[in-house]
Amino acid sequence: MTQIQLPESYTRQMIDQLGPEEAGRFLASYDQPRTQGLRIHPLKTTPERLREMTDEFGLTPVPWCETGFYYKESSTSKPGKHPYHAAGLYYIQEPSAMSAVELLDPKPGDIVLDLAAAPGGKSTQIAGKLRGEGLLVTNEIHPARAKILSENIERMGVTNAIVTQMAPDPLAERFPLFFDKMMVDAPCSGEGMFRKDPQAIDEWSPDHVKMCAARQWDILQAAVAMLKPGGLLAYSTCTFNTSENESTVAAVLERFPSFELLRTERIWPHRHAGEGHFVALLRKGGEDATAPDRAAVKARGKAAGKRASASRPEEEAMRLFRAFAADALPGFELPAGEAVLFGEQLYWLPAVQGCPFDRSYLNGLKVLRPGLHLAEVKKARIEPSHALALALPRGAARRTVDFPAEAPEIDRFLRGETLEQAPGDNGWVLVTVDGFALGWGKRTGSQVKNHIPKGLRRLGT
Ligand code: SAM
């Protein structure tokens, strides 16, 4: 008997699946503490550097992910509340969930879709591997969760991601045969979440498992339609249920015979240090995944409408942005792309060589973040965005105010307070923690006014 109350039909299912001896060890794992992990973000730092800077986290490596580490939270060490977290140096992620993107293995320049992406663990891992080259379309169906996804993309300083909030089918109409690589981390019955989130136990039932399997099948059919011939699809869940895992993969292979199964991996809590994950890597048959697909480009032309060029307000917004950059960011250059105005918000939509993606693809989609948010346009001036602050390479800003992580000013800045400083050069100032950007301030005399967006400021004690 475990201390956690498990549904009887679940216990029986696991005994059938694993046999009585192994099921005993599996069920006993529910009495062990859950594993906690973080993944270092290669766009910002390296594992060696972060380990040096955070001795108190007691990081130990996750075997299946080079950037993944276990930590043990204590009253004096809370990685989720550390200023390096606000600076996007790492992402808190359950260790076994790190396995799926490792198997998909995106490379710089790939065109990647993460179809069920919130809160963004796998998307930020993909973005780290793309290293700013290529394109990540990261999608989440639920509005509130899509907002969290978008904030995480911002915190991690990702410049080449489009965040959308769409159901899979209409997204597939817009992007037929489009992506080189795709992550489908499907909503599931969450059997691997029971230790972390006991509410998942209350939601579990054999009928819920059936409903999840049917939904996964629907999502996968849309995914298949968006994958290029020769493209790779990683399908993952955090459940142990074979009807959501192996059976769903078997259904794809049966219905779409051009697909081949390259590999499956399972992480089990009684065999590995992780809560549990399933991932299958499939390849779609056909030509080279990197070859432009003429049928897809033609279909896209119909769906997305005519290519539009920058409007006059966009040109004017970019003129203001360039004037700001000439003062505050000497030597800073935007990568290939185009300016897009969403109301008063100015974004930089990435352009990828050999990929037809441009602004016309955004028409009719619910888009939360069309690339890198550069600025808010005010009358005859701009205010640089929080996303820009977090995406800047080190040393890009002319004026900075830096504090060590333990300085009280860091906490005050993250709470939205104005900082009193020795007078300096007036203008936009990047506030940094040990050299890593936390957000913008604007200095007038000895005061640095806080420009962290209100919704992102720290609350409480
Ligand atoms: N990949 C995410 C990560 O690593 O942070 C976790 C994704 S979670 C397992 C599955 C997501 O699928 C949830 O955010 C959920 O809102 C979303 N979802 C639910 N129903 C969906 C549907 N019908 N189509 C697409 N996504 C759906």
Side-chain angles (χ1 to χ4, degrees):
M1 277 295 278
T2 63
Q3 283 160 24
I4 294 183
Q5 272 294 327
L6 297 167
E8 208 190 306
S9 50
Y10 173 68
T11 310
R12 253 186 285 119
Q13 169 194 298
M14 295 316 296
I15 293 171
D16 289 348
Q17 191 170 334
L18 294 171
E21 191 273 326
E22 187 169 359
R25 283 189 286 124
F26 169 78
L27 294 169
S29 73
Y30 284 101
D31 293 333
Q32 301 300 316
R34 70 178 171 110
T35 48
Q36 287 178 297
L38 60 80
R39 194 175 28 73
I40 287 160
H41 190 43
L43 297 180
K44 303 245 180 183
T45 189
T46 61
E48 297 72 34
R49 178 104 205 270
L50 191 88
R51 289 181 85 177
E52 266 167 38
M53 296 190 307
T54 58
D55 223 13
E56 73 274 23
F57 289 0
L59 299 179
T60 55
V62 171
W64 48 85
C65 176
E66 228 181 303
T67 49
F69 292 86
Y70 299 99
Y71 69 85
K72 283 211 165 55
E73 196 162 282
S74 70
S75 55
T76 52
S77 168
K78 290 192 168 35
K81 300 212 161 136
H82 197 282
Y84 294 159
H85 181 261
L89 302 198
Y90 51 83
Y91 187 97
I92 306 279
Q93 188 175 29
E94 191 282 299
S96 58
M98 299 172 188
S99 58
V101 172
E102 292 302 312
L103 197 60
L104 182 63
D105 196 22
K107 302 273 190 233
D110 281 343
I111 312 300
V112 187
L113 172 67
D114 186 357
L115 183 53
K122 299 197 173 60
S123 275
T124 53
Q125 193 174 357
I126 292 167
K129 287 183 179 284
L130 292 181
R131 295 198 169 261
E133 292 171 38
L135 181 72
L136 169 63
V137 177
T138 173
N139 179 69
E140 165 59 40
I141 193 168
H142 289 298
R145 289 179 63 83
K147 187 168 174 275
I148 296 168
L149 168 66
S150 185
E151 286 171 3
N152 280 325
I153 291 291
E154 175 176 77
R155 182 170 60 83
M156 306 306 276
V158 179
T159 57
N160 58 337
I162 314 296
V163 183
T164 58
Q165 188 242 303
M166 298 290 295
D169 282 343
L171 203 66
E173 282 171 30
R174 177 53 47 90
F175 291 107
L177 306 177
F178 194 87
F179 295 99
D180 302 324
K181 292 186 181 156
M182 198 177 290
M183 184 74 239
V184 178
D185 185 30
C188 69
S189 59
E191 293 167 358
M193 298 287 281
F194 289 179
R195 213 161 49 169
K196 184 177 163 196
D197 174 15
Q199 206 192 321
I201 303 176
D202 301 337
E203 283 167 15
W204 189 94
S205 71
D207 281 346
H208 184 59
V209 169
K210 271 191 207 140
M211 190 279 279
C212 288
R215 186 166 56 182
Q216 287 150 0
W217 174 235
D218 287 345
I219 295 172
L220 276 169
Q221 289 185 77
V224 162
M226 287 186 266
L227 193 61
K228 274 183 187 170
L232 293 176
L233 166 68
Y235 170 71
S236 71
T237 72
C238 61
T239 200
F240 306 111
N241 211 295
T242 51
S243 60
E244 297 176 64
N245 295 335
E246 285 82 353
S247 304
T248 305
V249 171
V252 173
L253 295 171
E254 194 185 324
R255 169 72 184 76
F256 305 103
S258 89
F259 272 79
E260 70 178 304
L261 177 61
L262 301 180
R263 193 166 164 177
T264 56
E265 279 178 7
R266 264 182 182 273
I267 291 173
W268 292 94
H270 62 296
R271 294 188 200 163
H272 312 99
E275 298 305 286
H277 221 71
F278 169 85
V279 53
L281 185 68
L282 298 119
R283 181 164 49 214
K284 193 179 200 176
E287 306 142 33
D288 179 356
T290 56
D293 185 295
R294 268 190 265 130
V297 174
K298 211 167 146 198
R300 192 280 309 168
K302 272 193 209 147
K306 282 195 184 137
R307 189 189 170 103
S309 53
S311 66
R312 179 141 316 153
E314 275 158 354
E315 283 168 8
E316 173 58 11
M318 279 311 291
R319 191 187 65 71
L320 294 171
F321 178 78
R322 290 208 168 89
F324 152 78
D327 167 52
L329 307 173
F332 172 72
E333 279 182 29
L334 286 166
E338 59 179 316
V340 174
L341 257 183
F342 267 34
E344 285 151 6
Q345 307 304 326
L346 177 65
Y347 290 86
W348 191 250
L349 191 73
V352 183
Q353 216 183 2
C355 171
F357 182 82
D358 63 27
R359 66 171 60 216
S360 68
Y361 277 85
L362 306 177
N363 295 340
L365 296 185
K366 277 191 203 149
V367 181
L368 278 79
R369 194 174 286 275
L372 174 62
H373 187 201
L374 294 179
E376 181 172 353
V377 183
K378 306 271 186 179
K379 265 192 201 140
R381 66 184 175 89
I382 60 115
E383 287 195 351
S385 76
H386 190 57
L388 178 68
L390 287 161
L392 287 174
R394 275 165 86 90
R398 184 193 298 276
R399 291 173 286 266
T400 58
V401 190
D402 187 54
F403 300 100
E406 54 289 350
E409 285 88 347
I410 289 293
D411 187 51
R412 287 178 36 219
F413 185 69
L414 290 171
R415 286 170 193 279
E417 291 178 23
T418 294
L419 300 180
E420 287 291 337
Q421 289 294 293
D425 196 10
N426 283 352
W428 290 102
V429 181
L430 196 65
V431 178
T432 58
V433 54
D434 294 319
F436 298 99
L438 281 177
W440 291 109
K442 196 166 186 192
R443 172 147 48 196
T444 313
S446 60
Q447 289 207 325
V448 177
K449 195 175 161 214
N450 200 304
H451 279 262
I452 293 188
K454 292 216 164 64
L456 298 180
R457 293 178 183 179
R458 273 191 185 168
L459 303 168
T461 51

